[in-house]
Amino acid sequence: MTPNPGGKPKLERVNCELAAKGILDRISVSPSETKICFEYQTGFKYEFPGRTLYVADFDVKQRKISNLKPFANAEGKKVWFAYPRFTKGESSIVYHAGGKLFLFNLADSSTRQVSTENKADYRYPHGEATPN
């Protein structure tokens, strides 16, 4: 969306090969605006458990998402994988999965659990104070 102070914003389509096959949801653009992560669900009927999390390159000028890579739940297990967000330093993505909080490292594609309290609610990570 291109803002228009005092007027109506202009909605502009972003090109992504997955968009024709399903829903891209809860999108997070990296601070440098060169990467994007999101939840993806095949089909157009909203179902939240079983989504796959993707990271990709983002060209803001061409409004294009490319070089898509699933990084969590590629097999589509019927578990809640949600709310991917870039960390402040843009080196990792924090996300919620099955009641726990995880950190995906972009450099080496490793994932580790960072939540420590099994009864806590980790559904809305924001990435600002996430461990590296």
Side-chain angles (χ1 to χ4, degrees):
M1 180 178 349
T2 302
N4 182 9
K8 207 172 184 183
K10 181 180 178 184
L11 298 175
E12 299 172 288
R13 182 166 299 280
V14 173
N15 296 313
C16 176
E17 65 185 71
L18 291 177
K21 304 172 190 172
I23 299 169
L24 283 71
D25 208 358
R26 297 186 182 121
I27 295 168
S28 176
V29 177
S30 68
S32 67
E33 297 183 341
T34 59
K35 297 267 185 207
I36 192 166
C37 62
F38 54 90
E39 296 174 29
Y40 175 73
Q41 168 196 314
T42 302
F44 296 97
K45 182 181 176 191
Y46 276 90
E47 296 178 27
F48 295 100
R51 289 183 171 193
T52 299
L53 303 184
Y54 277 85
V55 63
D57 294 330
F58 181 56
D59 185 327
V60 69
K61 290 181 181 176
Q62 292 185 5
R63 297 184 318 275
K64 184 177 180 179
I65 298 171
S66 61
N67 194 24
L68 296 127
K69 176 184 174 187
F71 68 89
N73 202 29
E75 58 282 342
K77 292 179 188 173
K78 292 296 179 187
V79 176
W80 189 275
F81 282 79
Y83 303 105
R85 296 289 178 256
F86 284 93
T87 58
K88 188 176 181 180
E90 208 170 307
S91 62
S92 301
I93 298 170
V94 62
Y95 66 93
H96 174 269
K100 297 177 176 77
L101 200 59
F102 293 87
L103 194 65
F104 173 76
N105 183 300
L106 291 165
D108 65 11
S109 297
S110 64
T111 300
R112 66 182 169 111
Q113 182 179 330
V114 293
S115 57
T116 57
E117 180 59 49
N118 288 334
K119 294 183 181 182
D121 185 351
Y122 293 104
R123 282 183 291 182
Y124 308 107
H126 55 73
E128 291 178 10
T130 308
N132 291 326

mmCIF file of all heavy atoms in Angstrom, residues 57-108:
data_model
loop_
_atom_site.group_PDB
_atom_site.id
_atom_site.type_symbol
_atom_site.label_atom_id
_atom_site.label_comp_id
_atom_site.label_asym_id
_atom_site.label_seq_id
_atom_site.Cartn_x
_atom_site.Cartn_y
_atom_site.Cartn_z
ATOM 1 N N ASP A 57 13.096 -13.428 -0.596
ATOM 2 C CA ASP A 57 13.616 -12.110 -0.959
ATOM 3 C C ASP A 57 12.430 -11.221 -1.313
ATOM 4 O O ASP A 57 11.418 -11.685 -1.838
ATOM 5 C CB ASP A 57 14.548 -12.216 -2.166
ATOM 6 C CG ASP A 57 15.811 -12.995 -1.851
ATOM 7 O OD1 ASP A 57 16.263 -12.963 -0.682
ATOM 8 O OD2 ASP A 57 16.346 -13.635 -2.767
ATOM 9 N N PHE A 58 12.568 -9.935 -1.026
ATOM 10 C CA PHE A 58 11.501 -8.987 -1.314
ATOM 11 C C PHE A 58 12.078 -7.774 -2.031
ATOM 12 O O PHE A 58 12.984 -7.123 -1.533
ATOM 13 C CB PHE A 58 10.813 -8.561 -0.016
ATOM 14 C CG PHE A 58 9.674 -7.592 -0.208
ATOM 15 C CD1 PHE A 58 8.612 -7.905 -1.041
ATOM 16 C CD2 PHE A 58 9.660 -6.387 0.455
ATOM 17 C CE1 PHE A 58 7.563 -7.020 -1.220
ATOM 18 C CE2 PHE A 58 8.609 -5.493 0.292
ATOM 19 C CZ PHE A 58 7.560 -5.811 -0.544
ATOM 20 N N ASP A 59 11.564 -7.504 -3.219
ATOM 21 C CA ASP A 59 11.960 -6.327 -3.994
ATOM 22 C C ASP A 59 10.828 -5.315 -3.881
ATOM 23 O O ASP A 59 9.787 -5.445 -4.534
ATOM 24 C CB ASP A 59 12.205 -6.714 -5.459
ATOM 25 C CG ASP A 59 12.739 -5.558 -6.289
ATOM 26 O OD1 ASP A 59 12.372 -4.392 -6.019
ATOM 27 O OD2 ASP A 59 13.525 -5.827 -7.209
ATOM 28 N N VAL A 60 11.010 -4.335 -3.014
ATOM 29 C CA VAL A 60 9.957 -3.368 -2.740
ATOM 30 C C VAL A 60 9.633 -2.507 -3.966
ATOM 31 O O VAL A 60 8.480 -2.139 -4.179
ATOM 32 C CB VAL A 60 10.302 -2.503 -1.500
ATOM 33 C CG1 VAL A 60 11.455 -1.564 -1.777
ATOM 34 C CG2 VAL A 60 9.093 -1.762 -0.986
ATOM 35 N N LYS A 61 10.620 -2.202 -4.800
ATOM 36 C CA LYS A 61 10.373 -1.360 -5.981
ATOM 37 C C LYS A 61 9.579 -2.097 -7.049
ATOM 38 O O LYS A 61 8.705 -1.520 -7.694
ATOM 39 C CB LYS A 61 11.687 -0.841 -6.552
ATOM 40 C CG LYS A 61 12.345 0.175 -5.644
ATOM 41 C CD LYS A 61 13.618 0.710 -6.222
ATOM 42 C CE LYS A 61 14.212 1.701 -5.224
ATOM 43 N NZ LYS A 61 15.486 2.212 -5.647
ATOM 44 N N GLN A 62 9.895 -3.386 -7.254
ATOM 45 C CA GLN A 62 9.154 -4.181 -8.239
ATOM 46 C C GLN A 62 7.935 -4.863 -7.622
ATOM 47 O O GLN A 62 7.176 -5.520 -8.324
ATOM 48 C CB GLN A 62 10.060 -5.241 -8.861
ATOM 49 C CG GLN A 62 11.131 -4.666 -9.734
ATOM 50 C CD GLN A 62 11.933 -5.756 -10.436
ATOM 51 O OE1 GLN A 62 11.636 -6.948 -10.353
ATOM 52 N NE2 GLN A 62 12.963 -5.349 -11.143
ATOM 53 N N ARG A 63 7.785 -4.739 -6.292
ATOM 54 C CA ARG A 63 6.699 -5.398 -5.552
ATOM 55 C C ARG A 63 6.669 -6.892 -5.880
ATOM 56 O O ARG A 63 5.669 -7.431 -6.319
ATOM 57 C CB ARG A 63 5.360 -4.726 -5.841
ATOM 58 C CG ARG A 63 5.310 -3.288 -5.373
ATOM 59 C CD ARG A 63 3.962 -2.633 -5.562
ATOM 60 N NE ARG A 63 3.303 -2.906 -6.817
ATOM 61 C CZ ARG A 63 3.506 -2.254 -7.953
ATOM 62 N NH1 ARG A 63 4.400 -1.299 -8.007
ATOM 63 N NH2 ARG A 63 2.834 -2.558 -9.038
ATOM 64 N N LYS A 64 7.823 -7.553 -5.648
ATOM 65 C CA LYS A 64 7.967 -8.958 -6.007
ATOM 66 C C LYS A 64 8.600 -9.757 -4.873
ATOM 67 O O LYS A 64 9.587 -9.338 -4.283
ATOM 68 C CB LYS A 64 8.826 -9.097 -7.266
ATOM 69 C CG LYS A 64 8.956 -10.511 -7.758
ATOM 70 C CD LYS A 64 9.749 -10.587 -9.039
ATOM 71 C CE LYS A 64 9.848 -12.032 -9.493
ATOM 72 N NZ LYS A 64 10.583 -12.167 -10.719
ATOM 73 N N ILE A 65 8.029 -10.930 -4.609
ATOM 74 C CA ILE A 65 8.560 -11.888 -3.640
ATOM 75 C C ILE A 65 9.155 -13.035 -4.449
ATOM 76 O O ILE A 65 8.489 -13.610 -5.309
ATOM 77 C CB ILE A 65 7.441 -12.416 -2.714
ATOM 78 C CG1 ILE A 65 6.845 -11.259 -1.901
ATOM 79 C CG2 ILE A 65 7.971 -13.505 -1.791
ATOM 80 C CD1 ILE A 65 5.596 -11.632 -1.129
ATOM 81 N N SER A 66 10.428 -13.373 -4.170
ATOM 82 C CA SER A 66 11.094 -14.433 -4.923
ATOM 83 C C SER A 66 12.018 -15.233 -4.009
ATOM 84 O O SER A 66 12.225 -14.879 -2.852
ATOM 85 C CB SER A 66 11.901 -13.826 -6.079
ATOM 86 O OG SER A 66 12.887 -12.947 -5.570
ATOM 87 N N ASN A 67 12.596 -16.295 -4.548
ATOM 88 C CA ASN A 67 13.523 -17.144 -3.818
ATOM 89 C C ASN A 67 12.885 -17.672 -2.522
ATOM 90 O O ASN A 67 13.461 -17.569 -1.445
ATOM 91 C CB ASN A 67 14.830 -16.392 -3.535
ATOM 92 C CG ASN A 67 15.936 -17.318 -3.099
ATOM 93 O OD1 ASN A 67 15.930 -18.506 -3.395
ATOM 94 N ND2 ASN A 67 16.894 -16.769 -2.374
ATOM 95 N N LEU A 68 11.691 -18.227 -2.655
ATOM 96 C CA LEU A 68 10.921 -18.711 -1.510
ATOM 97 C C LEU A 68 11.554 -19.949 -0.882
ATOM 98 O O LEU A 68 11.965 -20.859 -1.593
ATOM 99 C CB LEU A 68 9.498 -19.056 -1.972
ATOM 100 C CG LEU A 68 8.718 -17.846 -2.476
ATOM 101 C CD1 LEU A 68 8.168 -18.110 -3.845
ATOM 102 C CD2 LEU A 68 7.648 -17.508 -1.498
ATOM 103 N N LYS A 69 11.599 -19.958 0.450
ATOM 104 C CA LYS A 69 12.184 -21.082 1.173
ATOM 105 C C LYS A 69 11.325 -21.390 2.408
ATOM 106 O O LYS A 69 11.204 -20.547 3.298
ATOM 107 C CB LYS A 69 13.605 -20.727 1.608
ATOM 108 C CG LYS A 69 14.270 -21.783 2.450
ATOM 109 C CD LYS A 69 15.629 -21.306 2.920
ATOM 110 C CE LYS A 69 16.225 -22.302 3.884
ATOM 111 N NZ LYS A 69 17.465 -21.805 4.478
ATOM 112 N N PRO A 70 10.735 -22.590 2.477
ATOM 113 C CA PRO A 70 10.021 -22.946 3.705
ATOM 114 C C PRO A 70 11.030 -23.181 4.826
ATOM 115 O O PRO A 70 12.059 -23.811 4.611
ATOM 116 C CB PRO A 70 9.282 -24.228 3.340
ATOM 117 C CG PRO A 70 10.034 -24.798 2.191
ATOM 118 C CD PRO A 70 10.691 -23.653 1.487
ATOM 119 N N PHE A 71 10.753 -22.653 6.012
ATOM 120 C CA PHE A 71 11.700 -22.859 7.120
ATOM 121 C C PHE A 71 11.056 -23.513 8.335
ATOM 122 O O PHE A 71 11.750 -23.912 9.266
ATOM 123 C CB PHE A 71 12.399 -21.551 7.512
ATOM 124 C CG PHE A 71 11.504 -20.523 8.155
ATOM 125 C CD1 PHE A 71 11.314 -20.499 9.526
ATOM 126 C CD2 PHE A 71 10.881 -19.567 7.374
ATOM 127 C CE1 PHE A 71 10.505 -19.543 10.110
ATOM 128 C CE2 PHE A 71 10.073 -18.605 7.949
ATOM 129 C CZ PHE A 71 9.875 -18.595 9.318
ATOM 130 N N ALA A 72 9.742 -23.653 8.326
ATOM 131 C CA ALA A 72 9.070 -24.334 9.434
ATOM 132 C C ALA A 72 7.789 -24.978 8.924
ATOM 133 O O ALA A 72 7.021 -24.365 8.193
ATOM 134 C CB ALA A 72 8.749 -23.360 10.561
ATOM 135 N N ASN A 73 7.601 -26.227 9.268
ATOM 136 C CA ASN A 73 6.419 -27.017 8.924
ATOM 137 C C ASN A 73 6.228 -27.198 7.417
ATOM 138 O O ASN A 73 5.117 -27.121 6.904
ATOM 139 C CB ASN A 73 5.149 -26.434 9.557
ATOM 140 C CG ASN A 73 4.052 -27.471 9.662
ATOM 141 O OD1 ASN A 73 4.306 -28.669 9.777
ATOM 142 N ND2 ASN A 73 2.809 -27.026 9.621
ATOM 143 N N ALA A 74 7.296 -27.480 6.708
ATOM 144 C CA ALA A 74 7.212 -27.724 5.260
ATOM 145 C C ALA A 74 6.317 -28.913 4.949
ATOM 146 O O ALA A 74 5.699 -28.965 3.883
ATOM 147 C CB ALA A 74 8.605 -27.946 4.685
ATOM 148 N N GLU A 75 6.219 -29.855 5.871
ATOM 149 C CA GLU A 75 5.394 -31.048 5.652
ATOM 150 C C GLU A 75 3.914 -30.805 5.971
ATOM 151 O O GLU A 75 3.078 -31.666 5.722
ATOM 152 C CB GLU A 75 5.932 -32.232 6.457
ATOM 153 C CG GLU A 75 6.027 -32.019 7.951
ATOM 154 C CD GLU A 75 7.234 -31.196 8.398
ATOM 155 O OE1 GLU A 75 8.200 -31.041 7.644
ATOM 156 O OE2 GLU A 75 7.183 -30.684 9.526
ATOM 157 N N GLY A 76 3.565 -29.637 6.508
ATOM 158 C CA GLY A 76 2.168 -29.290 6.750
ATOM 159 C C GLY A 76 1.507 -30.042 7.894
ATOM 160 O O GLY A 76 0.299 -30.295 7.849
ATOM 161 N N LYS A 77 2.249 -30.378 8.939
ATOM 162 C CA LYS A 77 1.648 -31.037 10.117
ATOM 163 C C LYS A 77 0.539 -30.158 10.665
ATOM 164 O O LYS A 77 0.653 -28.933 10.668
ATOM 165 C CB LYS A 77 2.701 -31.244 11.213
ATOM 166 C CG LYS A 77 3.762 -32.237 10.871
ATOM 167 C CD LYS A 77 4.755 -32.329 12.026
ATOM 168 C CE LYS A 77 5.942 -33.178 11.656
ATOM 169 N NZ LYS A 77 6.991 -33.141 12.678
ATOM 170 N N LYS A 78 -0.524 -30.760 11.157
ATOM 171 C CA LYS A 78 -1.667 -30.005 11.688
ATOM 172 C C LYS A 78 -1.374 -29.470 13.086
ATOM 173 O O LYS A 78 -2.030 -29.782 14.064
ATOM 174 C CB LYS A 78 -2.933 -30.868 11.683
ATOM 175 C CG LYS A 78 -3.431 -31.193 10.298
ATOM 176 C CD LYS A 78 -3.864 -29.945 9.574
ATOM 177 C CE LYS A 78 -4.345 -30.260 8.174
ATOM 178 N NZ LYS A 78 -4.620 -29.074 7.402
ATOM 179 N N VAL A 79 -0.322 -28.661 13.156
ATOM 180 C CA VAL A 79 0.101 -27.989 14.376
ATOM 181 C C VAL A 79 0.088 -26.494 14.077
ATOM 182 O O VAL A 79 0.279 -26.084 12.931
ATOM 183 C CB VAL A 79 1.528 -28.450 14.778
ATOM 184 C CG1 VAL A 79 2.030 -27.687 15.988
ATOM 185 C CG2 VAL A 79 1.542 -29.946 15.041
ATOM 186 N N TRP A 80 -0.121 -25.690 15.094
ATOM 187 C CA TRP A 80 -0.170 -24.241 14.937
ATOM 188 C C TRP A 80 1.242 -23.692 14.751
ATOM 189 O O TRP A 80 2.051 -23.702 15.668
ATOM 190 C CB TRP A 80 -0.817 -23.639 16.172
ATOM 191 C CG TRP A 80 -1.117 -22.183 16.055
ATOM 192 C CD1 TRP A 80 -0.253 -21.160 16.306
ATOM 193 C CD2 TRP A 80 -2.339 -21.590 15.675
ATOM 194 N NE1 TRP A 80 -0.865 -19.957 16.089
ATOM 195 C CE2 TRP A 80 -2.162 -20.193 15.714
ATOM 196 C CE3 TRP A 80 -3.578 -22.079 15.298
ATOM 197 C CZ2 TRP A 80 -3.171 -19.295 15.399
ATOM 198 C CZ3 TRP A 80 -4.574 -21.182 14.997
ATOM 199 C CH2 TRP A 80 -4.364 -19.814 15.037
ATOM 200 N N PHE A 81 1.584 -23.217 13.559
ATOM 201 C CA PHE A 81 2.818 -22.505 13.257
ATOM 202 C C PHE A 81 2.395 -21.109 12.828
ATOM 203 O O PHE A 81 1.664 -20.966 11.848
ATOM 204 C CB PHE A 81 3.581 -23.183 12.109
ATOM 205 C CG PHE A 81 4.336 -24.405 12.515
ATOM 206 C CD1 PHE A 81 3.686 -25.613 12.684
ATOM 207 C CD2 PHE A 81 5.713 -24.344 12.739
ATOM 208 C CE1 PHE A 81 4.387 -26.751 13.061
ATOM 209 C CE2 PHE A 81 6.413 -25.478 13.114
ATOM 210 C CZ PHE A 81 5.756 -26.683 13.280
ATOM 211 N N ALA A 82 2.837 -20.078 13.568
ATOM 212 C CA ALA A 82 2.277 -18.759 13.296
ATOM 213 C C ALA A 82 3.187 -17.619 13.721
ATOM 214 O O ALA A 82 4.185 -17.817 14.408
ATOM 215 C CB ALA A 82 0.935 -18.626 14.008
ATOM 216 N N TYR A 83 2.806 -16.421 13.307
ATOM 217 C CA TYR A 83 3.399 -15.149 13.693
ATOM 218 C C TYR A 83 4.914 -15.049 13.472
ATOM 219 O O TYR A 83 5.651 -14.666 14.371
ATOM 220 C CB TYR A 83 3.056 -14.824 15.148
ATOM 221 C CG TYR A 83 1.583 -14.784 15.421
ATOM 222 C CD1 TYR A 83 0.955 -15.820 16.098
ATOM 223 C CD2 TYR A 83 0.815 -13.719 14.962
ATOM 224 C CE1 TYR A 83 -0.407 -15.798 16.329
ATOM 225 C CE2 TYR A 83 -0.555 -13.694 15.193
ATOM 226 C CZ TYR A 83 -1.159 -14.727 15.882
ATOM 227 O OH TYR A 83 -2.511 -14.710 16.109
ATOM 228 N N PRO A 84 5.405 -15.341 12.280
ATOM 229 C CA PRO A 84 6.842 -15.153 12.047
ATOM 230 C C PRO A 84 7.187 -13.659 12.017
ATOM 231 O O PRO A 84 6.460 -12.862 11.423
ATOM 232 C CB PRO A 84 7.061 -15.800 10.676
ATOM 233 C CG PRO A 84 5.750 -15.637 9.977
ATOM 234 C CD PRO A 84 4.705 -15.762 11.060
ATOM 235 N N ARG A 85 8.282 -13.298 12.693
ATOM 236 C CA ARG A 85 8.724 -11.905 12.745
ATOM 237 C C ARG A 85 10.248 -11.859 12.720
ATOM 238 O O ARG A 85 10.904 -12.655 13.377
ATOM 239 C CB ARG A 85 8.250 -11.205 14.033
ATOM 240 C CG ARG A 85 6.748 -11.081 14.151
ATOM 241 C CD ARG A 85 6.214 -10.063 13.149
ATOM 242 N NE ARG A 85 4.777 -9.957 13.209
ATOM 243 C CZ ARG A 85 3.942 -10.482 12.324
ATOM 244 N NH1 ARG A 85 4.413 -11.205 11.320
ATOM 245 N NH2 ARG A 85 2.655 -10.320 12.407
ATOM 246 N N PHE A 86 10.793 -10.893 11.999
ATOM 247 C CA PHE A 86 12.241 -10.716 11.966
ATOM 248 C C PHE A 86 12.719 -10.146 13.294
ATOM 249 O O PHE A 86 12.047 -9.314 13.899
ATOM 250 C CB PHE A 86 12.650 -9.766 10.831
ATOM 251 C CG PHE A 86 12.582 -10.407 9.492
ATOM 252 C CD1 PHE A 86 11.439 -10.306 8.709
ATOM 253 C CD2 PHE A 86 13.651 -11.145 9.009
ATOM 254 C CE1 PHE A 86 11.361 -10.916 7.474
ATOM 255 C CE2 PHE A 86 13.578 -11.762 7.771
ATOM 256 C CZ PHE A 86 12.433 -11.654 7.004
ATOM 257 N N THR A 87 13.898 -10.585 13.712
ATOM 258 C CA THR A 87 14.509 -10.001 14.896
ATOM 259 C C THR A 87 15.080 -8.640 14.534
ATOM 260 O O THR A 87 15.251 -8.316 13.350
ATOM 261 C CB THR A 87 15.628 -10.907 15.446
ATOM 262 O OG1 THR A 87 16.609 -11.112 14.421
ATOM 263 C CG2 THR A 87 15.085 -12.242 15.925
ATOM 264 N N LYS A 88 15.373 -7.856 15.536
ATOM 265 C CA LYS A 88 15.856 -6.491 15.328
ATOM 266 C C LYS A 88 17.085 -6.439 14.428
ATOM 267 O O LYS A 88 17.179 -5.604 13.550
ATOM 268 C CB LYS A 88 16.150 -5.851 16.679
ATOM 269 C CG LYS A 88 16.481 -4.396 16.609
ATOM 270 C CD LYS A 88 16.659 -3.820 18.001
ATOM 271 C CE LYS A 88 16.966 -2.349 17.933
ATOM 272 N NZ LYS A 88 17.129 -1.783 19.274
ATOM 273 N N GLY A 89 18.028 -7.350 14.618
ATOM 274 C CA GLY A 89 19.242 -7.379 13.803
ATOM 275 C C GLY A 89 19.069 -8.069 12.470
ATOM 276 O O GLY A 89 20.015 -8.162 11.694
ATOM 277 N N GLU A 90 17.885 -8.580 12.192
ATOM 278 C CA GLU A 90 17.540 -9.210 10.921
ATOM 279 C C GLU A 90 18.301 -10.512 10.663
ATOM 280 O O GLU A 90 18.354 -11.004 9.552
ATOM 281 C CB GLU A 90 17.790 -8.211 9.782
ATOM 282 C CG GLU A 90 16.941 -8.411 8.580
ATOM 283 C CD GLU A 90 17.057 -7.252 7.603
ATOM 284 O OE1 GLU A 90 16.868 -6.094 8.005
ATOM 285 O OE2 GLU A 90 17.316 -7.527 6.416
ATOM 286 N N SER A 91 18.888 -11.089 11.704
ATOM 287 C CA SER A 91 19.654 -12.323 11.535
ATOM 288 C C SER A 91 18.796 -13.568 11.725
ATOM 289 O O SER A 91 19.197 -14.657 11.326
ATOM 290 C CB SER A 91 20.819 -12.365 12.524
ATOM 291 O OG SER A 91 20.325 -12.359 13.854
ATOM 292 N N SER A 92 17.625 -13.390 12.320
ATOM 293 C CA SER A 92 16.767 -14.537 12.643
ATOM 294 C C SER A 92 15.300 -14.170 12.506
ATOM 295 O O SER A 92 14.948 -12.995 12.385
ATOM 296 C CB SER A 92 17.021 -14.993 14.088
ATOM 297 O OG SER A 92 18.358 -15.365 14.275
ATOM 298 N N ILE A 93 14.478 -15.218 12.560
ATOM 299 C CA ILE A 93 13.026 -15.048 12.569
ATOM 300 C C ILE A 93 12.499 -15.764 13.799
ATOM 301 O O ILE A 93 12.815 -16.929 14.035
ATOM 302 C CB ILE A 93 12.385 -15.635 11.298
ATOM 303 C CG1 ILE A 93 12.902 -14.917 10.060
ATOM 304 C CG2 ILE A 93 10.863 -15.565 11.388
ATOM 305 C CD1 ILE A 93 12.511 -15.580 8.745
ATOM 306 N N VAL A 94 11.706 -15.071 14.587
ATOM 307 C CA VAL A 94 11.081 -15.666 15.761
ATOM 308 C C VAL A 94 9.650 -16.054 15.359
ATOM 309 O O VAL A 94 9.003 -15.362 14.572
ATOM 310 C CB VAL A 94 11.101 -14.688 16.961
ATOM 311 C CG1 VAL A 94 10.330 -13.420 16.686
ATOM 312 C CG2 VAL A 94 10.626 -15.363 18.232
ATOM 313 N N TYR A 95 9.166 -17.200 15.852
ATOM 314 C CA TYR A 95 7.812 -17.638 15.520
ATOM 315 C C TYR A 95 7.244 -18.539 16.606
ATOM 316 O O TYR A 95 7.970 -19.076 17.436
ATOM 317 C CB TYR A 95 7.765 -18.330 14.158
ATOM 318 C CG TYR A 95 8.526 -19.638 14.081
ATOM 319 C CD1 TYR A 95 7.885 -20.858 14.317
ATOM 320 C CD2 TYR A 95 9.874 -19.663 13.757
ATOM 321 C CE1 TYR A 95 8.591 -22.050 14.232
ATOM 322 C CE2 TYR A 95 10.566 -20.850 13.672
ATOM 323 C CZ TYR A 95 9.927 -22.045 13.914
ATOM 324 O OH TYR A 95 10.616 -23.228 13.832
ATOM 325 N N HIS A 96 5.955 -18.705 16.574
ATOM 326 C CA HIS A 96 5.215 -19.518 17.526
ATOM 327 C C HIS A 96 4.895 -20.856 16.869
ATOM 328 O O HIS A 96 4.493 -20.907 15.705
ATOM 329 C CB HIS A 96 3.913 -18.776 17.873
ATOM 330 C CG HIS A 96 2.982 -19.539 18.733
ATOM 331 N ND1 HIS A 96 2.003 -20.336 18.224
ATOM 332 C CD2 HIS A 96 2.883 -19.624 20.067
ATOM 333 C CE1 HIS A 96 1.316 -20.880 19.222
ATOM 334 N NE2 HIS A 96 1.831 -20.458 20.347
ATOM 335 N N ALA A 97 5.081 -21.946 17.600
ATOM 336 C CA ALA A 97 4.728 -23.273 17.075
ATOM 337 C C ALA A 97 4.339 -24.191 18.220
ATOM 338 O O ALA A 97 5.128 -24.403 19.141
ATOM 339 C CB ALA A 97 5.887 -23.876 16.301
ATOM 340 N N GLY A 98 3.129 -24.710 18.158
ATOM 341 C CA GLY A 98 2.676 -25.673 19.148
ATOM 342 C C GLY A 98 2.783 -25.199 20.582
ATOM 343 O O GLY A 98 3.122 -25.984 21.459
ATOM 344 N N GLY A 99 2.524 -23.925 20.840
ATOM 345 C CA GLY A 99 2.569 -23.394 22.189
ATOM 346 C C GLY A 99 3.945 -22.976 22.662
ATOM 347 O O GLY A 99 4.117 -22.582 23.808
ATOM 348 N N LYS A 100 4.936 -23.033 21.804
ATOM 349 C CA LYS A 100 6.303 -22.661 22.172
ATOM 350 C C LYS A 100 6.831 -21.604 21.198
ATOM 351 O O LYS A 100 6.274 -21.397 20.136
ATOM 352 C CB LYS A 100 7.204 -23.892 22.157
ATOM 353 C CG LYS A 100 6.800 -24.940 23.184
ATOM 354 C CD LYS A 100 7.676 -26.168 23.084
ATOM 355 C CE LYS A 100 7.348 -27.165 24.148
ATOM 356 N NZ LYS A 100 6.158 -27.939 23.902
ATOM 357 N N LEU A 101 7.929 -20.965 21.584
ATOM 358 C CA LEU A 101 8.531 -19.927 20.775
ATOM 359 C C LEU A 101 9.867 -20.429 20.236
ATOM 360 O O LEU A 101 10.676 -20.988 20.968
ATOM 361 C CB LEU A 101 8.756 -18.684 21.635
ATOM 362 C CG LEU A 101 8.936 -17.351 20.948
ATOM 363 C CD1 LEU A 101 7.730 -17.010 20.093
ATOM 364 C CD2 LEU A 101 9.153 -16.263 21.988
ATOM 365 N N PHE A 102 10.098 -20.244 18.928
ATOM 366 C CA PHE A 102 11.306 -20.732 18.270
ATOM 367 C C PHE A 102 12.010 -19.597 17.548
ATOM 368 O O PHE A 102 11.400 -18.593 17.185
ATOM 369 C CB PHE A 102 10.955 -21.835 17.266
ATOM 370 C CG PHE A 102 10.450 -23.082 17.920
ATOM 371 C CD1 PHE A 102 9.110 -23.234 18.215
ATOM 372 C CD2 PHE A 102 11.323 -24.106 18.255
ATOM 373 C CE1 PHE A 102 8.636 -24.374 18.829
ATOM 374 C CE2 PHE A 102 10.865 -25.256 18.871
ATOM 375 C CZ PHE A 102 9.519 -25.389 19.156
ATOM 376 N N LEU A 103 13.304 -19.805 17.309
ATOM 377 C CA LEU A 103 14.133 -18.843 16.603
ATOM 378 C C LEU A 103 14.819 -19.559 15.446
ATOM 379 O O LEU A 103 15.535 -20.533 15.653
ATOM 380 C CB LEU A 103 15.181 -18.265 17.563
ATOM 381 C CG LEU A 103 15.928 -17.020 17.124
ATOM 382 C CD1 LEU A 103 14.981 -15.831 16.992
ATOM 383 C CD2 LEU A 103 17.019 -16.695 18.136
ATOM 384 N N PHE A 104 14.570 -19.087 14.220
ATOM 385 C CA PHE A 104 15.186 -19.635 13.025
ATOM 386 C C PHE A 104 16.324 -18.715 12.619
ATOM 387 O O PHE A 104 16.129 -17.528 12.364
ATOM 388 C CB PHE A 104 14.158 -19.746 11.890
ATOM 389 C CG PHE A 104 14.761 -20.155 10.575
ATOM 390 C CD1 PHE A 104 15.135 -21.464 10.342
ATOM 391 C CD2 PHE A 104 14.947 -19.221 9.566
ATOM 392 C CE1 PHE A 104 15.702 -21.840 9.127
ATOM 393 C CE2 PHE A 104 15.495 -19.582 8.347
ATOM 394 C CZ PHE A 104 15.877 -20.894 8.140
ATOM 395 N N ASN A 105 17.553 -19.250 12.536
ATOM 396 C CA ASN A 105 18.736 -18.486 12.173
ATOM 397 C C ASN A 105 18.885 -18.484 10.650
ATOM 398 O O ASN A 105 19.008 -19.544 10.038
ATOM 399 C CB ASN A 105 19.974 -19.101 12.842
ATOM 400 C CG ASN A 105 21.223 -18.325 12.574
ATOM 401 O OD1 ASN A 105 21.632 -18.155 11.429
ATOM 402 N ND2 ASN A 105 21.844 -17.847 13.629
ATOM 403 N N LEU A 106 18.879 -17.314 10.046
ATOM 404 C CA LEU A 106 18.956 -17.205 8.583
ATOM 405 C C LEU A 106 20.312 -17.632 8.022
ATOM 406 O O LEU A 106 20.376 -18.170 6.927
ATOM 407 C CB LEU A 106 18.642 -15.770 8.146
ATOM 408 C CG LEU A 106 17.194 -15.343 8.362
ATOM 409 C CD1 LEU A 106 17.054 -13.842 8.252
ATOM 410 C CD2 LEU A 106 16.284 -16.035 7.384
ATOM 411 N N ALA A 107 21.386 -17.425 8.753
ATOM 412 C CA ALA A 107 22.729 -17.737 8.245
ATOM 413 C C ALA A 107 22.970 -19.233 8.087
ATOM 414 O O ALA A 107 23.527 -19.671 7.086
ATOM 415 C CB ALA A 107 23.796 -17.135 9.157
ATOM 416 N N ASP A 108 22.542 -20.020 9.078
ATOM 417 C CA ASP A 108 22.835 -21.457 9.013
ATOM 418 C C ASP A 108 21.587 -22.348 8.968
ATOM 419 O O ASP A 108 21.690 -23.566 9.029
ATOM 420 C CB ASP A 108 23.753 -21.873 10.163
ATOM 421 C CG ASP A 108 23.114 -21.724 11.538
ATOM 422 O OD1 ASP A 108 21.891 -21.494 11.626
ATOM 423 O OD2 ASP A 108 23.850 -21.839 12.537
#
